[in-house]
Amino acid sequence: MRSWLMMTGGLLVWAAHFLGVYLISSLGDVAATADAPAWRGAALVFSGACLVAEGAVLWLLARRARVADDEGLAPFTIGVGLTGALAGLIGVVWQTTPILMAG
């Protein structure tokens, strides 16, 4: 189970970011408008938290990569996890860009 979490941690953060930003903008659209400053601020704060989480996943995997043994699946697991976390980081930044440009 730990190997799966290591491999999918960054992608899970990206998925949570997608769902969270979608939920925040949907609630903002029902309450006022999705580009109202309060809702944009909430989405930016949430995006910042997701960026910190992606950074933490990357840091933990990079730290674990330094001490991983060369036997078994540890290097493969860490490599897949790092790739997924980098893709997740790029995804979070990509999804945050329209929020930044909307104002």
Side-chain angles (χ1 to χ4, degrees), residues 69-82:
D69 56 349
D70 290 334
E71 298 177 13
L73 291 174
F76 173 77
T77 302
I78 292 169
V80 170
L82 285 170

Side-chain angles (χ1 to χ4, degrees), residues 47-70:
S47 294
C50 289
L51 285 172
V52 169
E54 286 285 1
V57 170
L58 281 168
W59 181 75
L60 289 171
L61 286 169
R63 194 172 131 220
R64 183 151 171 104
R66 292 186 327 163
V67 297
D69 56 349
D70 290 334

